[in-house]
């Protein structure tokens, strides 16, 4: 827990990738502190990633519990947007959590650009994977600090450009203190949509080749979700993107959709192909849209 007291640079890599809320963040610190499996191997190196992802027979279960993922294999091309859909608890979040090495798999391997992720220095790996999820982690600093923690060298111009692309610039400009406005306990209250935009602005600034969007807009009302989907579509351009979505409308345009069930990847293909196949996806689709 002393990691919280360290310089913000030290926290970066940690906060950036905490799995679920502060509980997940704490758990992640514990993992960092105690799990010797998740540490740099002697041959770990910095690698500049392009984002070709390959899971080879990946099997994983949380400690002492039954396996969540059994022998999963999949591959994703650089720049491709792949959506994971399927019942709650099927393992979609778990599947994506293995990529930044939040957990160590029990068997199998994951490669990025042909390099086993265990051979990539953790900081190098995690600094090149951006995660946007439902709960945005905010600390009670300024808007600037909240946008930049992934990139402390950023200039105001770069920050405002990221805010613009996330459609947050208008909001920043209308605050009396602009980027220096304090958010959090004593500061302005951000709406759910503004928090997501802040998270998206962070990612534009961080500019990672790989992006994980885990139910990023699930908590928003439909109108706000539609508006934010535009920013997310822009954000995912040119990056390998793994999207987990509950509302199927948001992933219709994915390059590929994979249906995750407890049995594994049950179906994959484009929206139209999966509708035509009249399998699980098509049933999920008609259940949501009638
Ligand atoms: P999905 O994202 O598809 O809803 P998850 O990957 O979150 O599914 O969960 C898959 C299974 O793993 C579920 O049974 C869930 O309860 C379990 N699980 C998820 N996270 C943890 C954890 N940190 N510890 C133990 N079990 C977990
Ligand atoms: Mg999930």
């Amino acid at each position: 827990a002393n990691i919280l007291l360290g310089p913000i640079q030290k926290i970066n890599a940690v906060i950036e990738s905490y799995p679920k809320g502060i509980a997940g963040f704490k758990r992640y610190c514990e993992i960092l502190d105690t799990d010797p499996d998740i540490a740099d191997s002697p041959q770990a190196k910095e690698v500049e990633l392009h984002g070709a992802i390959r899971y080879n027979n990946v099997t994983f279960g949380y400690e002492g519990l039954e396996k969540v993922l059994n022998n999963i294999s999949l591959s994703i091309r650089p720049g491709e947007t792949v959506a994971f859909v399927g019942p709650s608890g099927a393992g979609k979040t778990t599947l994506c959590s293995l990529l930044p090495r939040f957990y160590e798999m029990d068997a199998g391997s994951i490669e990025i650009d042909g390099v086993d992720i265990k051979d990539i220095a953790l900081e190098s790996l995690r600094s090149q994977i951006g995660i946007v999820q439902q709960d945005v982690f905010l600390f009670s600093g300024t808007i600037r600090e909240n946008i930049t923690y992934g990139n402390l060298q950023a200039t105001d111009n770069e920050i405002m450009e990221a805010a613009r692309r996330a459609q947050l610039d208008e909001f920043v400009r209308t605050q009396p203190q602009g980027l220096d406005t304090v958010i959090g306990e004593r500061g302005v209250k951000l709406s759910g949509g503004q928090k997501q935009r802040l998270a998206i602005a962070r990612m534009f600034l961080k500019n990672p080749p790989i992006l994980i969007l885990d139910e990023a807009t699930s908590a928003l009302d439909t109108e706000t979700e539609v508006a934010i989907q535009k920013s997310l579509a822009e954000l995912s351009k040119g990056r390998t993107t793994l999207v987990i979505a509950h509302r199927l409308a948001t992933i219709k345009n994915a390059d590929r959709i994979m249906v995750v069930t407890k049995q594994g990847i049950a179906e994959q293909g484009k929206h139209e192909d999966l509708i035509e196949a009249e399998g699980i996806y098509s049933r999920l689709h008609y259940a949501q849209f009638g």
Side-chain angles (χ1 to χ4, degrees):
N2 64 358
I3 199 156
L4 279 166
L5 303 172
I8 195 157
Q9 284 89 339
K10 197 177 168 194
I11 317 177
N12 272 349
V14 180
I15 293 182
E16 188 61 52
S17 36
Y18 78 108
K20 257 223 158 99
I22 200 71
F25 175 38
K26 269 166 85 179
R27 178 163 160 64
Y28 180 29
C29 291
E30 285 160 20
I31 291 169
L32 274 193
D33 286 346
T34 61
D35 191 339
D37 290 340
I38 305 182
D40 282 345
S41 68
Q43 72 270 26
K45 51 191 180 294
E46 287 190 18
V47 180
E48 195 184 318
L49 302 177
H50 299 285
I53 297 170
R54 201 181 166 91
Y55 282 56
N56 303 306
N57 305 104
V58 170
T59 294
F60 171 78
Y62 291 95
E63 217 170 320
L65 301 171
E66 68 173 312
K67 299 286 180 257
V68 176
L69 305 172
N70 285 294
N71 214 27
I72 299 281
S73 295
L74 58 88
S75 54
I76 302 175
R77 295 186 298 276
E80 192 179 16
T81 293
V82 171
F84 296 95
V85 303
S88 173
K92 304 179 295 294
T93 295
T94 305
L95 182 77
C96 292
S97 302
L98 296 180
L99 192 62
R101 284 188 71 203
F102 291 153
Y103 304 100
E104 207 64 15
M105 62 203 103
D106 300 313
S109 65
I110 299 175
E111 290 164 9
I112 304 179
D113 303 337
V115 181
D116 192 316
I117 57 171
K118 288 182 182 171
D119 295 332
I120 303 174
L122 262 187
E123 203 183 328
S124 173
L125 176 71
R126 289 178 182 167
S127 68
Q128 294 179 82
I129 301 176
I131 302 176
V132 182
Q133 51 192 0
Q134 200 171 311
D135 311 302
V136 177
F137 182 84
L138 299 172
F139 46 96
S140 55
T142 62
I143 295 178
R144 177 191 281 103
E145 287 162 348
N146 271 282
I147 294 181
T148 57
Y149 74 65
N151 180 353
L152 296 159
Q153 280 78 48
T155 65
D156 278 11
N157 276 344
E158 289 165 338
I159 297 167
M160 283 310 289
E161 172 62 9
R164 188 190 63 73
R165 298 175 83 182
Q167 296 174 46
L168 188 74
D169 52 332
E170 187 67 35
F171 170 75
V172 175
R173 262 188 235 107
T174 54
Q175 296 305 305
Q177 322 270 202
L179 285 173
D180 294 315
T181 305
V182 174
I183 60 168
E185 295 124 21
R186 284 148 51 83
V188 297
K189 284 213 180 77
L190 299 182
S191 69
Q194 285 161 343
K195 286 180 192 168
Q196 284 304 335
R197 295 201 179 288
L198 197 146
I200 294 166
R202 265 178 197 167
M203 286 307 140
F204 274 117
L205 203 57
K206 175 171 167 143
N207 197 23
I210 298 171
L211 195 60
I212 297 172
L213 309 176
D214 188 353
E215 312 251 16
T217 57
S218 296
L220 305 175
D221 61 80
T222 314
E223 200 178 315
T224 310
E225 177 170 52
V226 168
I228 286 184
Q229 283 301 330
K230 285 185 192 153
S231 305
L232 286 175
E234 163 89 8
L235 179 64
S236 69
K237 266 185 208 152
R239 310 176 205 276
T240 305
T241 308
L242 286 64
V243 193
I244 300 173
H246 181 65
R247 294 185 197 144
L248 298 185
T250 61
I251 50 95
K252 229 172 151 173
N253 296 321
D255 296 315
R256 200 147 41 110
I257 296 166
M258 296 193 190
V259 180
V260 181
T261 68
K262 288 195 164 144
Q263 283 70 45
I265 311 264
E267 295 172 6
Q268 57 175 300
K270 277 192 156 313
H271 169 82
E272 295 76 20
D273 302 332
L274 293 178
I275 290 294
E276 210 165 295
E278 296 184 359
I280 302 169
Y281 178 81
S282 113
R283 283 199 295 280
L284 288 171
H285 177 80
Y286 289 114
Q288 282 191 20
F289 300 103

